[in-house]
């Protein structure tokens, strides 16, 4: 829920307005401690910048929207339908690639001016989720994350490279997070460590050994120049708790853990 602008001068982030208790988009110049809230962005999540650092796209379920970094009217670009979008990226030719947050679907694309939404990737057998798209500087290649399922995969993530022209893709590495590029390096999280590995834009290949940049990282954002922002701290365990309609705790289940996207069976037994 934060993103460094491509020119490395600003950060967009989501925070709660203390007066209204609504989450909304804020922008802060990195040479200042003052942040500006952007009116009309209530419910914002997962912001990402235009290549010229003048506009910000963001998700506000059920839509993908955009706004100028200095504020102004909010423009709806596309319906997303899902309730759990997982990232977007804005290419140099004005193409935006995003996730709709619906399981069983791949990545989608739309013009930065809005219009027709078209599919970009499709699921193969053994794949659970396509997410975290990130355009490389050439605007013709895209990094994205694929969650693999099944006994042989062990619920791990692949970072793939997609050619936007041919729609061909190949695996670059396995990682626990999305990947981003900046200043000659590919960044991703491995076992809680933010790693940087040399990546050649001409050959589109990794080289050398990855180096740990920071520990206990929950999220990060990097600009093309290599300016890096990350959120540290460990991820606390949570607990599944059942409540009655009058607000009383009735039982607990599953033990402490990192739960996500919980769904109860219709009969309430599983």
């Amino acid at each position: 829920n934060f993103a460094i602008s491509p020119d490395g001068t600003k950060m967009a982030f989501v925070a709660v307005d203390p007066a209204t208790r609504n989450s909304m988009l804020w922008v802060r110049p990195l040479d200042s401690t003052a942040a500006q809230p952007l009116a009309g962005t209530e419910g914002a999540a997962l912001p990402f910048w235009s290549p010229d650092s003048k506009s910000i796209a963001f998700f506000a379920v059920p839509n993908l929207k955009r706004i100028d970094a200095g504020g102004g009217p909010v423009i709806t670009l596309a319906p997303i339908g899902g309730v759990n979008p997982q990232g977007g990226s804005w290419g140099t030719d004005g193409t935006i690639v995003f996730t709709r947050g619906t399981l069983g679907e791949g990545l989608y694309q739309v013009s930065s001016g809005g219009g027709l939404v078209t599919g970009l990737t499709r699921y193969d057998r053994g794949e659970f989720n396509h997410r975290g798209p990130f355009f490389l500087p050439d605007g013709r290649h895209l990094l994205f994350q694929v969650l693999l399922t099944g006994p042989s995969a062990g619920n791990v993530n692949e970072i793939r490279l997609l050619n936007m022209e041919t729609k061909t893709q190949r695996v670059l590495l396995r990682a626990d997070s999305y990947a981003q590029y900046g200043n000659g390096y590919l960044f991703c999280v491995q076992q809680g460590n933010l790693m940087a590995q040399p990546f050649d834009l001409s050959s589109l290949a990794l080289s050398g050994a990855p180096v740990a940049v920071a520990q206990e990282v929950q999220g990060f954002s990097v600009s093309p120049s290599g300016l890096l922002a990350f959120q540290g701290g460990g991820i606390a365990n949570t607990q599944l708790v059942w409540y009655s309609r009058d607000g009383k705790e009735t039982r607990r289940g599953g033990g402490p853990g990192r739960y996500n996207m919980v769904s109860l069976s219709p009969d309430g037994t599983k």
Side-chain angles (χ1 to χ4, degrees):
N1 273 331
F2 60 95
I4 294 286
S5 62
D7 63 9
T9 64
K10 298 178 286 293
M11 174 185 286
F13 62 94
V14 175
V16 174
D17 185 329
T20 64
R21 306 305 301 169
N22 290 326
S23 63
M24 59 191 307
L25 200 59
W26 299 65
V27 173
R28 174 192 158 186
L30 293 181
D31 60 358
S32 170
T33 58
Q36 172 192 357
L38 300 184
T41 62
E42 288 77 12
L46 301 172
F48 56 97
W49 290 84
S50 62
D52 61 7
S53 301
K54 294 181 179 179
S55 300
I56 305 167
F58 62 96
F59 297 90
V61 175
N63 294 305
L64 173 67
K65 301 181 177 183
R66 63 174 285 184
I67 188 172
D68 287 347
V74 174
I75 300 171
T76 297
L77 300 179
I80 57 173
V83 297
N84 190 33
Q86 297 188 39
S89 187
W90 195 323
T92 53
D93 67 350
T95 298
I96 288 179
V97 175
F98 66 99
T99 64
R100 297 206 314 178
T102 303
L103 297 180
E105 295 183 347
L107 301 175
Y108 289 84
Q109 59 185 348
V110 69
S111 167
S112 58
L116 180 66
V117 175
T118 58
L120 182 61
T121 64
R122 298 183 63 181
Y123 275 63
D124 288 330
R125 187 173 182 179
E127 298 176 5
F128 177 72
N129 203 356
H130 291 187
R131 56 191 178 186
F134 185 85
F135 272 104
L136 293 180
D138 65 6
R140 297 184 295 107
H141 294 89
L142 182 87
L143 302 171
F144 71 103
Q145 181 188 19
V146 179
L147 176 61
L148 304 178
T149 62
S152 61
N155 290 332
V156 298
N157 297 314
E158 287 182 349
I159 302 301
R160 295 185 186 175
L161 179 70
L162 174 70
N163 186 313
M164 293 291 292
E165 296 174 352
T166 65
K167 303 300 186 290
T168 55
Q169 53 183 270
R170 60 182 172 91
V171 178
L172 288 178
L173 75 163
R174 289 192 168 185
D176 298 333
S177 76
Y178 54 87
Q180 294 187 1
Y181 170 86
N183 197 30
Y185 289 87
L186 200 69
F187 293 84
C188 63
V189 175
Q190 299 275 23
Q191 300 181 19
N193 300 309
L194 180 58
M195 310 297 292
Q197 186 170 358
F199 183 80
D200 189 329
L201 285 179
S202 59
S203 64
L204 299 174
L206 292 161
S207 64
V211 176
V213 177
Q215 297 177 317
E216 293 189 342
V217 172
Q218 296 187 43
F220 68 94
S221 175
V222 63
S223 71
S225 64
L227 185 65
L228 174 70
F230 66 90
Q231 182 177 7
I235 300 176
N237 284 338
T238 55
Q239 174 71 58
L240 295 177
V241 183
W242 275 253
Y243 287 89
S244 62
R245 289 189 177 274
D246 58 3
K248 296 179 180 179
E249 182 179 326
T250 60
R251 63 188 174 99
R252 298 188 173 204
R258 290 171 58 181
Y259 296 99
N260 189 20
M261 297 174 64
V262 176
S263 177
L264 287 174
S265 62
D267 62 10
T269 63
K270 294 180 284 291

